[in-house]
Amino acid sequence: MVGVTDRQTSGQPSRASPAPVGRPLLSLTLAALMDDVRALSGAVYLLAPGEPVLEMAVMAGLPRVFAAPWERMALSAAVPVAEAARDRRLVWVAGEEDMARRFPRISMVLPYPFALAALPVATDRATYGSLFVTWPGVRSPDLSDWEREHLTAACARLATRLERAYERGHPVRPEPDLLAPAPMAGVAGTLGTVEAARMVARLPYGLCALDLQGRITFANSAAAELLGVPVSALLGTQLWAAVEWLNDPVYEDRYRAALLGQHATSFVAQRPPSDWLSFRLYPGTNGLSLRITRARAVAREGRAVFQHGETGTRLVSISQVLSLAGALTEAVGVQDVVQLVADEIVPAVGSQGLVVLGSGAGRLHVLGHRGYPDPHTVERFDGMYLTERSPGTHALRCGVPGFFASRQELRGEYPDLAPVDGSMQAWAYLPLIASGRPVGTWVLSYAEPHPFPADERAVLISLSGLVAQALDRARLYDAKHRLAHGLQAALLPPSLPPLPGVEAAARYLPATRGMEIGGDFYDLVPLAGEAAAVIGDVQGHNVTAAGLMGQIRTAVRAYTTVGQPPGEVMSSTNRLLIDLGSELFASCLYLRMDPGRGQVVLARAGHLPPLLREPDGEVRVLDLAGGPLLGIDADAAYPTTEVTLAPGALLVLCTDGLIESPGVDIEDALTGLANRLAGIGDRPLDEVADTLVEHSGTAEQRVDDVALLLLRSRST
């Protein structure tokens, strides 16, 4: 154990120090503190030796599993106990909404009504750790001055004792958690008297007692009959483990909600094949009582429908939240996020309408919407200034959600605001905040007046954090996507120039992975009575490859314009690439075409050979002499080959992305391309280009770019 002064490790003893003192200092301090402020649970954390990490040393009041994700955490973590330790201040979280807004990751795992106070365990010289205590959500939303002073003083006393222990060479170690499970006794022992046990046995509904770990310590015969499991198999096991058809995380979620929030929770579940049972949990500080009865009427939804204890409205369970979190990680673009929210989240929370708003240049922008048949009903959001007074702009500017259970509530707060759709009766305006930055607002609307109890608000706010992160990533992806396409478009010719005696068509498709930008290129250069064409492929799929591609294309055009023959154009470009000092290589195919004479001169640098389709439909792969890839050998020579081009003949130049396929030999791939070209070569050139690309076998999942250039000789 070490002390931290100004967030740096001090020279305190390490784990190799002498054995700790005998008294359970942490446990006694925590138990006394919880008793004084009437807290439900709490835990003490100590800084790990030599590293900025908090480790849970003892927990009291609730099973450690409730805080399992935070048993060991970085000092920089966005959780209250870490914030209290690094900032050396008290952190107060008033309830579900406050937790969901400030610490959404905790609220996702524990979406229950409870308040929390976290404090540093520190002296003037060093920070030794921190602690937290929790209360059920029924308490006052404010921490009283007495509670604040008492908590602060207790932590200061604990820090002083820790400091003395370290100075004496007795570092404090983790201690056993403070839980008091009910004894595993018989029925009479559990209930206190035999007569009381007989009374319970006569009741027509099932009764079970659960300890803090969720284990059954007592069950009457009616409970065993309703569950279909003998009492002997129930005792000592958790309900969801003992009963096969209750083995679902959503049932354990109700136990957690009751225990942490200290309020009754209920749910219904189907016992196969068709019996529906109602379960109600009554919590206490030492366990829970469970009543089981037959359900009178249940909507057949195929799984349990959980309800708030007071309102009866549907609650999104923790398993649903985690499922939605996993689904949101798969969303790529903004529209993917909107679609997923509409398909997954909106039905789960019982909403009928959705509007997702982003911001830019001081205005709101509609990113997507669902549930509004007439798109004009949401147009008034688009372009709205952030300075205007509306629930959407207020949520975005202030980061505070707005819940309006009825049209009257919305009009009372915003009398000049017309609802988006007259058919909607309730709204939730939820800010989307990612990494402390507002990225938008999403609006859920309901066809009927809809109360928003505290636990539902907490879940919606937690979901907002998930949606915000997904939306932030999606907007970044879309921006990179636009950048990639813009850069690629700028580096490739915007159109092909008209050439006498030559008909041309070209296609370019980026890879479907990564930034969708690469080094494939083509160009067509008109000359006096002739034309020059080039196609190439720079190694890689990134901005560097694209930039080098632009330099090569410019060089080829320049050397062509000054009149260099094909072989010299390739040699000059090769030397330029080496002079640039790039570690990337490039393949290239260059040709000079004289339509009047029907002659083509070609030079090749490690590129795929072109295909020639004769007017009679015969297709052959041209066997060209060639040199190495550009950028390897400054003294490389690039011999040329002369080919006769009859009127109506078609030349096909492509990069390997058009024909490459896993497990297929390149020669077989060229043969397949030739066979397709033989059957379609007489069609209009644009149709030929589209068909070749569509049948490339890589249209959906391209791991490489595709460049295609078609040249057809015609009578002048």
Side-chain angles (χ1 to χ4, degrees):
M1 182 58 213
V2 299
V4 173
T5 303
D6 293 331
R7 301 179 190 169
Q8 299 295 323
T9 303
S10 70
Q12 299 291 347
S14 65
R15 290 186 187 272
S17 302
V21 294
R23 295 183 65 227
L25 173 62
L26 304 179
S27 301
L28 291 176
T29 302
L30 182 60
L33 178 61
M34 290 171 51
D35 187 58
D36 289 342
V37 298
R38 298 185 179 181
L40 171 68
S41 68
V44 178
Y45 288 80
L46 297 177
L47 277 164
E51 53 182 330
V53 172
L54 288 168
E55 296 179 325
M56 184 182 290
V58 64
M59 185 165 181
L62 288 176
R64 183 175 287 233
V65 68
F66 276 66
W70 308 284
E71 282 192 80
R72 178 179 166 88
M73 75 191 85
L75 192 60
S76 59
V79 296
V81 286
E83 185 174 305
R86 65 175 179 267
D87 295 344
R88 296 170 66 94
R89 66 178 179 85
L90 186 151
V91 177
W92 169 245
V93 184
E96 282 179 287
E97 285 193 48
D98 199 18
M99 182 70 78
R101 183 166 54 249
R102 296 165 56 192
F103 304 101
R105 294 181 184 178
I106 294 179
S107 191
M108 276 196 321
V109 180
L110 300 173
Y112 313 124
F114 69 96
L116 178 146
L119 299 95
V121 177
T123 65
D124 293 337
R125 295 194 298 170
T127 298
Y128 294 93
S130 59
L131 64 78
F132 76 80
V133 289
T134 71
W135 294 265
V138 294
R139 66 153 286 140
S140 167
D142 297 319
L143 193 64
S144 69
D145 292 340
W146 181 88
E147 289 172 322
R148 185 180 297 269
E149 293 171 2
H150 196 83
L151 290 168
T152 303
C155 288
R157 289 193 298 271
L158 175 59
T160 300
R161 292 170 182 169
L162 288 173
E163 190 168 70
R164 291 173 182 170
Y166 292 129
E167 290 173 351
R168 295 170 183 171
H170 299 294
V172 176
R173 305 297 191 193
E175 299 170 3
D177 291 345
L178 299 178
L179 283 177
M184 299 299 296
V187 172
T190 302
L191 295 179
T193 67
V194 173
E195 189 58 36
R198 291 172 178 169
M199 178 192 72
V200 171
R202 290 192 293 267
L203 294 175
Y205 46 79
L207 287 177
C208 295
L210 282 66
D211 66 12
L212 293 177
Q213 302 282 3
R215 296 177 300 226
I216 301 172
T217 59
F218 167 78
N220 67 355
S221 57
E225 181 180 351
L226 289 169
L227 295 174
V229 178
V231 171
S232 59
L234 292 173
L235 293 178
T237 62
Q238 294 173 319
L239 179 66
W240 45 91
V243 183
E244 182 178 355
W245 45 275
L246 290 178
N247 188 15
D248 191 304
V250 292
Y251 301 114
E252 185 180 356
D253 176 55
R254 296 296 83 205
Y255 145 77
R256 289 171 176 259
L259 203 55
L260 189 56
Q262 287 293 293
H263 66 87
T265 62
S266 60
F267 62 90
V268 292
Q270 185 181 33
R271 174 187 168 181
S274 58
D275 292 333
W276 287 84
L277 301 180
S278 174
F279 297 78
R280 190 162 182 85
L281 289 157
Y282 299 91
T285 57
N286 59 353
L288 305 96
S289 297
L290 171 64
R291 188 185 69 180
I292 309 171
T293 59
R294 296 188 182 277
R296 294 182 179 179
V298 177
R300 300 307 199 257
E301 294 193 8
R303 67 179 298 162
V305 179
F306 300 113
Q307 296 182 332
H308 301 286
E310 298 177 358
T311 65
T313 57
R314 182 169 180 173
L315 173 68
V316 178
S317 69
I318 185 173
S319 61
Q320 288 175 292
V321 172
L322 295 177
S323 173
L324 295 171
L328 282 168
T329 61
E330 300 176 2
V332 179
V334 169
Q335 292 309 309
D336 294 333
V337 174
V338 174
Q339 185 68 48
L340 193 144
V341 171
D343 293 345
E344 301 265 357
I345 296 181
V346 169
V349 301
S351 172
Q352 285 74 49
L354 167 72
V355 181
V356 180
L357 303 169
S359 63
R363 294 173 180 261
L364 286 179
H365 302 285
V366 177
L367 301 178
H369 60 87
R370 297 292 186 275
Y372 298 97
D374 184 2
H376 297 291
T377 58
V378 298
E379 282 185 355
R380 68 180 186 83
F381 280 126
D382 207 38
M384 179 183 291
Y385 284 103
L386 296 181
T387 54
E388 292 188 34
R389 189 174 184 274
S390 73
T393 56
H394 182 266
L396 183 62
R397 289 197 318 268
C398 305
V400 178
F403 297 97
F404 304 96
S406 65
R407 187 180 298 273
Q408 290 73 23
E409 285 192 16
L410 182 62
R411 286 176 177 170
E413 186 73 23
Y414 298 93
D416 299 328
L417 181 70
V420 174
D421 188 346
S423 64
M424 298 300 177
Q425 302 295 323
W427 297 265
Y429 289 81
L430 299 149
L432 299 172
I433 301 174
S435 302
R437 299 178 297 103
V439 297
T441 301
W442 62 314
V443 185
L444 295 170
S445 51
Y446 299 78
E448 301 292 337
H450 184 87
F452 294 96
D455 51 356
E456 185 174 352
R457 294 186 184 201
V459 169
L460 291 177
I461 295 171
S462 297
L463 290 174
S464 295
L466 297 175
V467 175
Q469 294 292 337
L471 183 62
D472 196 37
R473 291 193 305 268
R475 294 180 70 175
L476 180 60
Y477 173 85
D478 286 349
K480 288 183 177 180
H481 183 83
R482 291 191 297 269
L483 173 63
H485 277 263
L487 179 59
Q488 196 80 57
L491 294 175
L492 292 173
S495 61
L496 297 178
L499 299 172
V502 178
E503 183 183 359
R507 296 292 184 272
Y508 173 82
L509 294 175
T512 58
R513 300 179 184 177
M515 271 193 65
E516 300 188 357
I517 187 170
D520 289 18
F521 68 96
Y522 63 86
D523 202 0
L524 190 60
V525 184
L527 301 169
E530 295 183 340
V534 64
I535 194 167
D537 184 359
V538 178
Q539 175 189 14
H541 305 93
N542 50 41
V543 174
T544 302
L548 191 60
M549 172 266 283
Q551 291 176 300
I552 294 176
R553 175 176 164 251
T554 301
V556 169
R557 179 175 278 265
Y559 296 137
T560 299
T561 303
V562 299
Q564 288 188 358
E568 290 186 14
V569 169
M570 297 294 281
S571 297
S572 298
T573 305
N574 175 54
R575 288 192 294 272
L576 173 66
L577 186 56
I578 293 175
D579 291 342
L580 289 173
S582 172
E583 297 181 354
L584 300 180
F585 307 130
S587 68
C588 191
L589 176 64
Y590 178 86
L591 64 84
R592 187 75 59 83
M593 183 177 184
D594 187 342
R597 296 172 53 196
Q599 184 185 55
V600 179
V601 180
L602 304 99
R604 184 165 69 101
H607 199 79
L608 287 175
L611 277 67
L612 176 62
R613 185 185 188 276
E614 300 289 359
D616 61 1
E618 179 186 354
V619 179
R620 57 193 175 99
V621 179
L622 297 181
D623 184 14
L624 305 180
L629 293 169
L630 301 179
I632 294 179
D633 182 6
D635 298 323
Y638 296 92
T640 59
T641 302
E642 184 173 322
V643 176
T644 300
L645 195 65
L650 174 61
L651 266 175
V652 177
L653 287 65
C654 68
T655 57
D656 52 10
L658 181 72
I659 61 172
E660 274 188 336
S661 184
V664 179
D665 183 77
I666 193 70
E667 298 295 333
D668 294 337
L670 281 171
T671 300
L673 179 63
N675 292 335
R676 287 191 295 275
L677 184 62
I680 64 173
D682 289 330
R683 300 179 187 177
L685 212 55
D686 282 328
E687 185 178 338
V688 174
D690 291 337
T691 303
L692 292 179
V693 169
E694 290 171 1
H695 289 82
S696 65
T698 59
E700 293 183 0
Q701 289 294 327
R702 292 183 299 276
V703 297
D704 199 0
D705 302 22
V706 172
L708 174 67
L709 181 61
L710 305 180
L711 301 171
R712 177 183 285 161
S713 176
R714 61 187 179 189
S715 301
T716 56

